Amino acid sequence: MATETPPPSKEQHRLPSAEEFVAEQSSAEFGELRRAHRSFAFPVTVGFIAWYLLYVLLSNYADGFMGTKVVGNINVAFVLGLAQFLTTFLIAWGYSRHAAADLDPKAAAIKSRMEGDA
Amino acid sequence: MSPAQSTLLAAGEASQHRPLIITLFAVFVAATLVITVWAGRQTKDAADFYAGGRQFTAFQNGLAVSGDYMSAASFLGIAGAIALFGYDGFLYSIGFLVAWLVALLLVAEPLRNSGRYTMGDVLAYRMRQRPVRTAAGTSTIVVSIFYLLAQMAGAGVLVSLLLGITSDAGKIGIVALVGVLMIVYVTIGGMKGTTWVQMVKAVLLIAGALLLTFLVLLKFHFNVSDLLGKAADNSGKGSPFLQPGLKYGATGTTKLDFLSLGLALVLGTAGLPHILIRFYTVPTAKAARKSVNWAIGLIGAFYLMTLALGFGAAALIKPDEIIASNKSGNTAAPLLALHLGGVDSDWGAILLASISAVAFATILAVVAGLTLASSSSFAHDIYANVIKKGTATDKEEVRAARWASVGIGAVSIVLGALARDLNVAGLVALAFAVAASANLPTILYSLFWKRFTTSGALWSIYGGLVTAVGLVLFSPVVSGKETSMFPHVDFHWFPLENPGIISIPVGFLLGVVGTLLSKERPDAAKYAELEVRSLTGTGAH
């Protein structure tokens, strides 16, 4: 059961100074990364929590609706419950696509610039 | 889960299957001890002990995260709750799963980028170290001990049930055995050993659930509607069994309680210290993201399978038999295994023993993760940064962590033994509520709110912690009801079992109030450093 992973990369990157971090924080490039992260993560978080709470409230206070049969013995409650699973999988997938396309390249560019010797 | 309620398996079936069950338990323990010793040999520095050397792959860590998260409460508890209450049991799984999105979108990557070993690393990053580390350590240890206590006491009841042990000494012995094993895993194997134990457990658990799900569906010719119909009929409750409401729909109070529980579940996961430290075991934030995705897939698939297990048990076993074995339904999954294999056949005995061994593995892996999280936080946050003010060497820190795990293990054995006949299952939901009220607000404010200060962090952590724990102390979880921890006294005045609906908003609000009321100015340079590091991974460990 040996781990075949390569040994940790121990090469030390340069750690930027406090001034460099402050300058970076207010740079346009970092502002773009922050915006790209927040404009996805914040509204989606509000959205899935609201959708989950809606489901909880329906379970609590809408018995008749939740008990409506859809197919055979499968009712609205099951359909909505499984829909929660489905939306969770879809959001995870959507975020990962967004991150790979919009966040990772920006983050990597800033990181290599800040840790480089330039 | 008192001994009187748990006689059925004990009396007849368990003792007859005991040798096989014990053999499988022993095989699992032996295998994990070999892994632990092997991992211990590879553990050389603090990053190895706390973070497994940060060299696990995203898939390995995803498995380990699932292993850490799917406690006996979710495997046995959810299957049992579905078997007895139908649809309402399923409500838990949904909260437990959706919660992972908070971790994915807001917490996992920034934490991996900016912290080293503990949750406290991120909470204290831009704050005054000593007070915030103390608060983070306190809340980590409180959350972990509650969680641990529920698992330990549950282990005592469950394992004695599966082995047919009814004596007090036997149950205490089992709690002690679980405690000693978790100390061994953590002190010798550190994060590496613990991670491997969790991976092995996750594979066993998923394989066991897959097998049972397949057998259940086979019985019903893969017709889910028939399965549900049979479950509703056999439960004696008819179509309400397939709708929300049997467990939580009784009164306005129980409905509010469910809302409160739902909030705690969905916001608690991303504040559980033993889950958060798992993100340090992978090399990059991207790998942390991928490991959460694996975890969401595995945990989601697992919860879908618990539907088949729970409704399968409801369809194939008389409800009286489930209740006679354990009033909360916690043995529904093992009973289902026995019935699927055939009550009097060898195949039934083998299935029962295998599922029991999986349950035992589940408990061991989760308690090891909790012990590691709390002892890491003690050593890294409190010992190294508060007591030694950052002057401790790596070696001293790891030694402190090892001793802390012995101490925490010993405390849990004593508390677990004392609580063996108390109903402590509610403590898991409480741990989620504390995590959501005390930890999550501070994590989010620290990462995303420029103005946030040390006093805000302290108000939020201690305020959330005290509110959550205080409300539970005066709730029916502790006193006043037949199902309470102390059923014979009554000092409860808070009507809900879960404090989340009050304590979570309080935790978030106090973070704002504490920040705005203090004259302290936020450390802008430190926030710049945290924000840039958390989003880009610059200078990540």
Side-chain angles (χ1 to χ4, degrees), chain A:
Chain A
M1 198 180 293
T3 33
E4 301 299 340
T5 41
S9 61
K10 292 284 186 200
E11 84 257 34
Q12 281 301 309
H13 291 293
R14 193 182 68 93
L15 190 65
S17 68
E19 292 73 28
E20 284 172 283
F21 276 116
V22 174
E24 186 59 43
Q25 189 193 30
S26 50
S27 74
E29 197 182 357
F30 183 76
E32 186 53 34
L33 171 64
R34 180 203 285 128
R35 196 203 53 75
H37 177 254
R38 293 192 176 191
S39 66
F40 186 99
F42 287 8
V44 172
T45 301
V46 172
F48 74 73
I49 290 180
W51 160 228
Y52 170 73
L53 288 179
L54 173 73
Y55 166 78
V56 168
L57 291 173
L58 284 174
S59 299
N60 259 346
Y61 304 106
D63 310 357
F65 171 67
M66 293 297 259
T68 314
K69 295 254 164 95
V70 180
V71 184
N73 289 310
I74 297 167
N75 55 24
V76 172
F78 278 100
V79 172
L80 288 185
L82 296 175
Q84 290 282 337
F85 275 68
L86 188 67
T87 49
T88 301
F89 294 144
L90 284 177
I91 291 170
W93 175 74
Y95 170 72
S96 302
R97 268 181 61 108
H98 166 72
D102 277 2
L103 306 181
D104 292 347
K106 293 188 175 78
I110 295 175
K111 177 177 154 81
S112 71
R113 179 163 47 73
M114 291 190 79
E115 286 178 351
D117 300 316

Side-chain angles (χ1 to χ4, degrees), chain B residues 467-530:
Chain B
T467 311
V469 176
L471 286 176
V472 168
L473 196 60
F474 296 105
S475 80
V477 169
V478 173
S479 75
K481 267 185 154 176
E482 200 191 325
T483 51
S484 302
M485 215 183 279
F486 304 102
H488 305 301
V489 284
D490 185 0
F491 48 87
H492 93 281
W493 50 261
F494 183 67
L496 305 181
E497 300 204 343
N498 197 291
I501 201 166
I502 309 277
S503 64
I504 297 169
V506 165
F508 275 98
L509 202 68
L510 286 180
V512 176
V513 172
T515 297
L516 297 182
L517 283 186
S518 71
K519 294 195 189 71
E520 178 191 349
R521 295 183 52 80
D523 187 337
K526 270 295 197 188
Y527 181 58
E529 199 177 313
L530 175 64

Side-chain angles (χ1 to χ4, degrees), chain A residues 1 3 5-6, chain B residues 35 38-39 42-43 47-64 112 189-199 278-284 287-288 291:
Chain A
M1 198 180 293
T3 33
T5 41
Chain B
I35 293 172
W38 168 82
Q42 319 238 334
T43 297
D48 290 334
F49 183 85
Y50 287 126
R54 308 192 197 286
Q55 289 301 309
F56 284 98
T57 66
F59 174 66
Q60 289 174 326
N61 189 44
L63 260 183
R112 173 63 192 87
M191 180 56 108
K192 274 191 188 169
T194 307
T195 304
W196 279 105
V197 170
Q198 284 162 346
M199 284 194 272
R278 295 233 55 92
F279 301 131
Y280 294 128
T281 66
V282 292
T284 61
S291 55

Side-chain angles (χ1 to χ4, degrees), chain B residues 6 47 178 188 263 275 289 352 381 398 503 516 531:
Chain B
S6 42
V178 169
I188 298 177
L263 269 179
I275 296 297
R289 179 198 309 148
L352 171 69
D381 293 325
V398 172
S503 64
L516 297 182
E531 194 183 18

Side-chain angles (χ1 to χ4, degrees), chain B residues 324-395:
Chain B
S325 174
N326 177 273
K327 201 163 68 175
S328 325
N330 282 338
T331 46
L335 273 179
L336 175 68
L338 184 67
H339 279 259
L340 283 171
V343 176
D344 291 317
S345 71
D346 289 347
W347 180 220
I350 292 171
L351 264 185
L352 171 69
S354 314
I355 295 303
S356 305
V358 167
F360 185 57
T362 288
I363 292 167
L364 283 179
V366 173
V367 293
L370 290 161
T371 308
L372 181 68
S374 44
S375 50
S376 295
S377 181
F378 175 82
H380 184 63
D381 293 325
I382 293 179
Y383 170 79
N385 282 296
V386 177
I387 298 173
K388 289 276 179 176
K389 298 174 197 167
T391 61
T393 63
D394 265 21
K395 245 192 160 136

Side-chain angles (χ1 to χ4, degrees), chain B residues 198-496:
Chain B
Q198 284 162 346
M199 284 194 272
V200 171
K201 164 260 171 107
V203 170
L204 291 176
L205 181 60
I206 290 169
L210 259 178
L211 176 66
L212 289 188
T213 302
F214 177 76
L215 293 175
V216 166
L217 291 177
L218 195 64
K219 274 228 155 109
F220 292 89
H221 307 288
F222 294 89
N223 185 333
V224 177
S225 177
D226 275 2
L227 166 63
L228 294 176
K230 183 78 201 307
D233 289 345
N234 193 47
S235 73
K237 301 199 174 75
S239 67
F241 193 71
L242 305 179
Q243 293 168 32
L246 280 183
K247 189 171 160 76
Y248 295 106
T251 63
T253 311
T254 57
K255 288 180 177 181
L256 208 58
D257 217 344
F258 174 60
L259 183 60
S260 191
L261 174 72
L263 269 179
L265 296 184
V266 83
L267 297 175
T269 299
L272 288 174
H274 70 289
I275 296 297
L276 295 176
I277 59 168
R278 295 233 55 92
F279 301 131
Y280 294 128
T281 66
V282 292
T284 61
K286 196 170 176 177
R289 179 198 309 148
K290 285 187 185 160
S291 55
V292 180
N293 281 332
W294 276 112
I296 288 178
L298 293 168
I299 293 168
F302 176 78
Y303 285 148
L304 289 175
M305 293 192 280
T306 59
L307 275 177
L309 304 191
F311 283 109
L316 299 171
I317 310 170
K318 289 262 161 289
D320 296 349
E321 189 183 340
I322 300 174
I323 296 175
S325 174
N326 177 273
K327 201 163 68 175
S328 325
N330 282 338
T331 46
L335 273 179
L336 175 68
L338 184 67
H339 279 259
L340 283 171
V343 176
D344 291 317
S345 71
D346 289 347
W347 180 220
I350 292 171
L351 264 185
L352 171 69
S354 314
I355 295 303
S356 305
V358 167
F360 185 57
T362 288
I363 292 167
L364 283 179
V366 173
V367 293
L370 290 161
T371 308
L372 181 68
S374 44
S375 50
S376 295
S377 181
F378 175 82
H380 184 63
D381 293 325
I382 293 179
Y383 170 79
N385 282 296
V386 177
I387 298 173
K388 289 276 179 176
K389 298 174 197 167
T391 61
T393 63
D394 265 21
K395 245 192 160 136
E396 288 171 327
E397 224 183 291
V398 172
R399 195 183 313 133
R402 291 197 158 111
W403 279 110
S405 68
V406 174
I408 286 164
V411 169
S412 324
I413 291 173
V414 172
L415 291 177
L418 290 174
R420 69 187 182 279
D421 288 334
L422 303 180
N423 188 349
V424 289
L427 289 181
V428 169
L430 172 63
F432 273 79
V434 175
S437 317
N439 299 347
L440 186 69
T442 312
I443 295 172
L444 294 182
Y445 289 146
S446 284
L447 290 170
F448 299 112
W449 188 28
K450 202 169 169 177
R451 177 85 179 74
F452 195 48
T453 63
T454 299
S455 12
L458 297 177
W459 279 53
S460 180
I461 296 175
Y462 288 122
L465 186 68
V466 169
T467 311
V469 176
L471 286 176
V472 168
L473 196 60
F474 296 105
S475 80
V477 169
V478 173
S479 75
K481 267 185 154 176
E482 200 191 325
T483 51
S484 302
M485 215 183 279
F486 304 102
H488 305 301
V489 284
D490 185 0
F491 48 87
H492 93 281
W493 50 261
F494 183 67
L496 305 181

